[in-house]
Amino acid sequence: MTELATVVFAAEAGAHLLDAPRSTRFSSFQRRFDEAAYLRDLSARGIAWIARSDVSFPRRLAEIHDPPPGIFVRSRTALSLEGLPTVAIVGARACSSYGMAVATELGRELAAAGVVVVSGLARGVDAAAHRGALQSGTTLAVLGCGIDRDYPRAHAVLAGEITQRGWIVSEYPPGVEPAPWRFPARNRIVAGLAQATVVVEARERSGALITADLALDEGREVLAVPGEITSQLSRGTNALLRLGATPVTCAADVLDVLGVEPPPAPEPAVLGEPLRAIRSVVADGSVGADAIVRRTGLAAGTVAAALAELELLGLVTQSDGLYREVMGRT
Amino acid sequence: MLARTITHALVGIDPRRVEVEAHLQQGLPSFAIVGLADRACQEAKERVRSGISSAELEWPTKRRITVNLAPAALRKEGSGFDLPIALAVLAASYQLPAEALDGHAAFGELALDGRLRPVPGALVAAEGARRSGLTHLVCAAESGPEVALAGVEPVGVRHLADAVAYLRGERDPPELPPPDDDFETLAGVPDLADVRGQERARRALEIAAAGAHNLLLAGPPGTGKTMLARRLPGILPLLDDESSLEATRIHSVSGVLAPGTGLVRVPPFRAPHHSASAAALIGGGVGSPRPGEASLAHHGVLFLDELPEFQRPVLEALRQPLEDGIVTVIRVGGRAVFPARFQVVGAMNLCPCGGRGDGAAQCQCTPERVQRYREKLSRALLDRFDLVLTVPRPRANDLAGAPGEASGPVRERVLRARRNLRERPPRRDPAADDLLTRAVERLPLSGRGRARVARVASTIAALADAATVEAEHLAEALSYRAPAELVE
Ligand SMILES: [Zn+2]
């Protein structure tokens, strides 16, 4: 059992190791290393360790060509992905409000169908996908730094919610600082854990495309959300589509690829006025509240209340002050 | 011969009694001011000498003149001592009857030609006079209305010669112009009628006014955030007598009271620039501590435009006034406490370049830059805003919003809502409770967030004249919660 010693040694040496090195430095480290004490310390901090040789190590991750020696897990519940459909949702950190809304809705609808939504806890699309998934199910975040770090720090609250209702995973032991070279390595785990990878918005040559490439290398399915052809943020995704990635127009497209039955459609909510009138304005395209006021002739307060109710019903989402209809609910 | 006048020095916004003693003795001609006077105060010598000559009065030559400002331990700042010094010298040289100064305090600056200039803090000086048991305050004519507020009879004069004539009993004090009434008070205040469209933001502004809620407006530049904020004072109730006196005192000391005006009746509107220092915002400065923008906004509106561009320590410094309604300024010479109970309107772009939320522009910011920009708003600060609104830039074909309702009727509704909240605060309907529970399950809504939504819902019900908070009121309140992208 040298896996734990390997990752701790690698962290101290600032290296990235997949297997125990044959060096005297490592041998002497291994003699000094008290695995039992280390594990006790981890568990006192609520962190579990799953070695690659462990039966509970995620099977799909073990199948990639460069699996990590093991993974650290921070969660209230033991990690078990066996038999669960898993999808990675990745995309630009500086995404548009469209990308944010799509990622949230995909996360939510896929999680509602029982899919574990995997992403990298980064800003933008990643965080939106995690948040969406937490609304209706569970999610898994892969860190590119030590398992004890909430990176980026701005997502500390989100990370807390994920440990309550999902899992945070890293191949790096506590104390490893975030470093740019570790993020591509993190992406291979995101892609490796998932049956399929959905790219929501990506610039050319961006990290999300690296994840897509890694997924393709492992023979996993890659899907992409179409975007406006004029937007930089759609260059990457539209290029993927041209190369043959499956287009995503709603959550059902993804479930189809996974072979997962979509959950029974909820009873279509019977909307009274003014909700129905407002919803039909929103259905014409993203729109600000003032424009809705002008098109419906309703009072601003009435429109605000109706929009909040439509949001609660999951029929409408808002970002940067624009309201848009939730996909696939017509 | 020795003569004495009474005046008051300002320590923060408090008056301290100062006795000005002029002592004329035989000896080599000289003029000295003793008693911890600062430079502006030392310069009084030139102004007093020149002013007395210009008033065709006699400067006592061939005398050794000593002016003592007592108590000596109190630091004397500024030019308000000119008039009391001049009057003391005149009395000591028998140019004024000695008893003429009984019951009178004096406060004002002299120009070299003997004209009287108003000095900041006349209201506080007058309150000091009243506490000292004095009935009259000789001051610049412009200070008259302020002095009258303190319950002291102002003797507002334009020239030292007029003051002397009055004290010699040769003429009555000049009449004061009548104070403005409320209607005129609101005359120059910006009106909501100027705002086209912006229906949602106008509604939020009305709710903010009715419930005294802090409001944060986020959106790309040019969406009228500043224009709206400036219109908040015009829909707030005018200040009652006590509040008005508190605000006036601070404005008086800071020298921002327009000359000749009386009480500050319209809630003040202060808009410090984002480069403002903590001292400028909460008070401080060299010498006697001065109130900052937070206190100038007391009982009014503090508008923080470009909120994330403020220095972090400056924003942190705002926490005490936001919590306690006061600021404490610690000085070498002790602490000064200034009232600072204000309503905040914050404004910010959605990203540093301003492109976000603007359909016509592409945001050029890196995610790190956007994040750093938003992280400047600590969770603690964001928690202070009951209403958060994202205002997108209107599209070209949406621009033609109707001309807006004027401030007058909005203000009527605000006043009625405030009365409702005071006299019969609405209870929450079970349907509203259900909705809130559903919202907590569905939305990232903290405990504090939940309390904020409930507060705003009460205000909305009060605006609707409803006896209970209905589900619809609660739903509307939910729409003003901070969006996820700002919360994290
Ligand atoms: Zn930008």
Side-chain angles (χ1 to χ4, degrees):
Chain A
M1 294 292 133
T2 59
E3 288 129 326
L4 185 58
T6 302
V7 300
V8 176
F9 174 77
E12 289 186 5
H16 187 251
L17 297 174
L18 299 178
D19 293 295
R22 295 174 205 284
S23 72
T24 47
R25 245 180 91 202
F26 178 68
S27 321
S28 77
F29 173 84
Q30 206 182 3
R31 275 193 300 279
R32 274 186 286 123
F33 184 64
D34 182 347
E35 178 159 332
Y38 195 92
L39 286 170
R40 267 199 308 283
D41 181 49
L42 279 182
S43 98
R45 299 165 71 175
I47 298 167
W49 161 251
I50 307 177
R52 191 164 62 202
S53 56
D54 196 302
V55 288
S56 57
F57 189 83
R59 190 175 44 77
R60 266 190 291 272
L61 186 57
E63 284 167 1
I64 68 174
H65 77 268
D66 51 356
I71 50 174
F72 298 90
V73 181
R74 193 146 52 98
S75 173
R76 275 174 51 154
T77 48
L79 177 65
S80 137
L81 298 175
E82 207 47 52
L84 289 179
T86 46
V87 167
I89 299 179
V90 296
R93 289 174 298 161
C95 64
S96 68
S97 60
Y98 163 74
M100 184 88 85
V102 169
T104 308
E105 276 317 302
L106 279 178
R108 193 165 67 88
E109 301 224 351
L110 293 174
V115 176
V116 178
V117 173
V118 179
S119 198
L121 197 67
R123 293 163 179 147
V125 165
D126 284 20
H130 289 304
R131 286 205 182 92
L134 284 173
Q135 287 181 16
S136 60
T138 186
T139 188
L140 186 152
V142 184
L143 302 182
C145 55
I147 184 68
D148 59 334
R149 302 295 165 99
D150 290 328
Y151 184 87
R153 220 185 46 211
H155 290 164
V157 175
L158 176 60
E161 285 170 24
I162 295 175
T163 56
Q164 294 299 304
R165 286 158 47 203
W167 304 276
I168 291 185
V169 162
S170 173
E171 64 178 308
Y172 304 114
V176 173
E177 297 291 338
W181 62 267
R182 294 194 196 273
F183 289 103
R186 181 267 314 268
N187 292 349
R188 92 186 190 288
I189 297 188
V190 170
L193 281 167
Q195 278 168 277
T197 294
V198 178
V199 184
V200 173
E201 268 185 331
R203 291 184 159 80
E204 285 172 302
R205 291 185 294 280
S206 59
L209 291 191
I210 295 176
T211 312
D213 277 343
L214 292 165
L216 288 171
D217 287 349
E218 302 299 341
R220 312 271 166 92
E221 192 80 32
V222 170
L223 302 90
V225 175
E228 293 175 19
I229 58 173
T230 50
S231 166
Q232 295 280 348
L233 283 164
S234 305
R235 292 277 165 85
T237 39
N238 289 343
L240 281 174
L241 292 169
R242 209 169 48 234
L243 292 173
T246 307
V248 177
T249 62
C250 59
D253 292 344
V254 183
L255 295 174
D256 209 32
V257 166
L258 299 177
V260 173
E261 273 296 303
E267 284 291 299
V270 182
L271 299 183
E273 295 298 347
L275 269 61
R276 195 162 40 172
I278 288 170
R279 189 185 179 200
S280 78
V281 174
V282 176
D284 291 343
S286 67
V287 65
D290 291 343
I292 301 175
V293 167
R294 260 164 264 156
R295 285 187 217 167
T296 58
L298 294 164
T302 309
V303 169
L307 286 169
E309 291 198 43
L310 289 170
E311 271 190 275
L312 278 183
L313 290 168
L315 299 172
V316 158
T317 64
Q318 189 256 148
S319 57
D320 290 342
L322 292 175
Y323 291 83
R324 52 171 54 84
E325 190 173 44
V326 169
M327 329 169 268
R329 288 285 185 99
T330 39
Chain B
M1 166 67 183
L2 180 79
R4 179 182 295 135
T5 51
I6 305 296
T7 190
H8 288 82
L10 309 180
V11 177
I13 51 169
D14 293 320
R16 297 285 161 76
R17 180 186 161 104
V18 172
E19 296 190 0
V20 180
E21 297 167 327
H23 197 192
L24 269 57
Q25 291 164 294
Q26 298 285 353
L28 282 178
S30 70
F31 183 17
I33 297 179
V34 299
L36 206 63
D38 78 348
R39 179 145 56 144
C41 197
Q42 282 296 346
E43 288 167 353
K45 279 190 281 195
E46 296 313 314
R47 294 189 298 267
V48 168
R49 195 197 318 246
S50 174
I52 286 182
S53 305
S54 303
E56 297 186 344
L57 297 157
E58 196 184 319
W59 180 253
T61 48
K62 297 178 192 149
R63 290 286 186 281
R64 201 156 75 93
I65 307 169
T66 310
V67 169
N68 180 36
L69 306 176
L74 180 71
R75 200 181 144 84
K76 323 294 183 307
E77 289 179 359
S79 50
F81 296 94
D82 292 5
L83 179 63
I85 291 172
L87 295 178
V89 168
L90 290 170
S93 57
Y94 304 105
Q95 299 182 72
L96 282 178
E99 69 284 358
L101 287 162
D102 289 353
H104 285 72
F107 185 71
E109 177 185 319
L110 284 176
L112 292 174
D113 62 2
R115 274 181 301 124
L116 224 59
R117 290 191 177 134
V119 181
L123 169 59
V124 174
E127 289 179 320
R130 193 190 60 223
R131 275 186 236 164
S132 293
L134 305 170
T135 53
H136 291 73
L137 176 68
V138 187
C139 61
E142 293 89 338
S143 302
E146 269 179 72
V147 169
L149 296 175
V152 169
E153 191 74 37
V155 180
V157 292
R158 304 213 172 271
H159 197 276
L160 179 60
D162 298 335
V164 169
Y166 159 80
L167 289 166
R168 285 174 176 169
E170 294 164 3
R171 78 167 66 142
D172 291 333
E175 293 270 320
L176 280 180
D180 298 345
D181 65 24
D182 288 0
F183 180 72
E184 289 170 27
T185 308
L186 276 166
V189 180
D191 195 289
L192 274 172
D194 311 331
V195 178
R196 293 181 83 88
Q198 301 279 20
E199 290 83 356
R200 182 167 161 78
R202 292 175 61 107
R203 169 72 177 168
L205 196 71
E206 180 172 337
I207 297 168
H213 300 291
N214 297 331
L215 168 67
L216 178 60
L217 297 166
T223 43
K225 301 180 295 255
T226 303
M227 189 176 185
L228 275 161
R230 288 196 179 279
R231 279 149 184 80
L232 180 53
I235 57 170
L236 290 171
L238 296 181
L239 305 188
D240 62 22
D241 290 352
E242 198 186 327
S243 306
S244 171
L245 206 55
E246 287 174 15
T248 310
R249 195 176 291 136
I250 296 164
H251 285 231
S252 165
V253 167
S254 306
V256 300
L257 213 55
T261 52
L263 285 169
V264 174
R265 278 287 184 194
V266 178
F269 180 87
R270 302 296 300 182
H273 190 254
H274 58 74
S275 61
S277 65
L281 208 60
I282 67 151
V286 255
S288 169
R290 284 174 206 295
E293 292 291 337
S295 293
L296 286 163
H298 185 50
H299 292 310
V301 178
L302 185 66
F303 177 52
L304 303 175
D305 197 6
E306 308 278 3
L307 187 59
E309 302 285 358
F310 279 81
Q311 298 291 315
R312 190 77 186 247
V314 174
L315 293 178
E316 290 297 314
L318 275 176
R319 283 173 69 171
Q320 190 202 11
L322 280 170
E323 269 161 39
D324 308 331
I326 54 163
V327 296
T328 312
V329 182
I330 311 285
R331 309 311 312 257
V332 181
R335 339 180 302 146
V337 176
F338 299 122
R341 190 171 299 287
F342 48 80
Q343 188 173 355
V344 182
V345 179
M348 61 182 287
N349 296 334
L350 291 168
C351 71
C353 85
R356 236 185 138 101
D358 185 344
Q362 276 246 350
C363 171
Q364 304 294 332
C365 305
T366 61
E368 287 75 19
R369 215 163 142 237
V370 175
Q371 203 62 29
R372 265 201 310 280
Y373 181 75
R374 291 179 177 183
E375 271 172 11
K376 292 279 283 292
L377 307 178
S378 63
R379 186 71 205 227
L381 184 65
L382 211 50
D383 266 339
R384 296 281 161 198
F385 290 98
D386 284 351
L387 300 157
V388 181
L389 205 61
T390 310
V391 190
R393 179 187 287 289
R395 299 205 183 127
N397 56 347
D398 284 332
L399 263 176
E405 189 182 18
S407 291
V410 180
R411 194 161 160 274
E412 290 299 315
R413 290 197 295 271
V414 167
L415 296 181
R416 200 176 55 212
R418 289 213 171 190
R419 202 164 49 240
N420 287 345
L421 285 169
R422 212 168 37 239
E423 289 168 9
R424 49 178 188 104
R427 297 175 315 280
R428 207 150 68 222
D429 184 80
D433 277 332
D434 283 354
L435 186 65
L436 188 53
T437 311
R438 243 183 338 124
V440 171
E441 284 164 5
R442 181 72 204 252
L443 306 168
L445 204 57
S446 62
R448 268 171 179 267
R450 191 189 162 112
R452 270 198 302 279
V453 168
R455 259 200 312 275
V456 174
S458 283
T459 305
I460 294 171
L463 267 172
D465 253 332
T468 53
V469 179
E470 313 283 347
E472 187 189 343
H473 305 139
L474 202 115
E476 186 182 351
L478 275 171
S479 79
Y480 306 115
R481 74 190 186 278
E485 58 259 33
L486 283 189
V487 173
E488 283 223 0

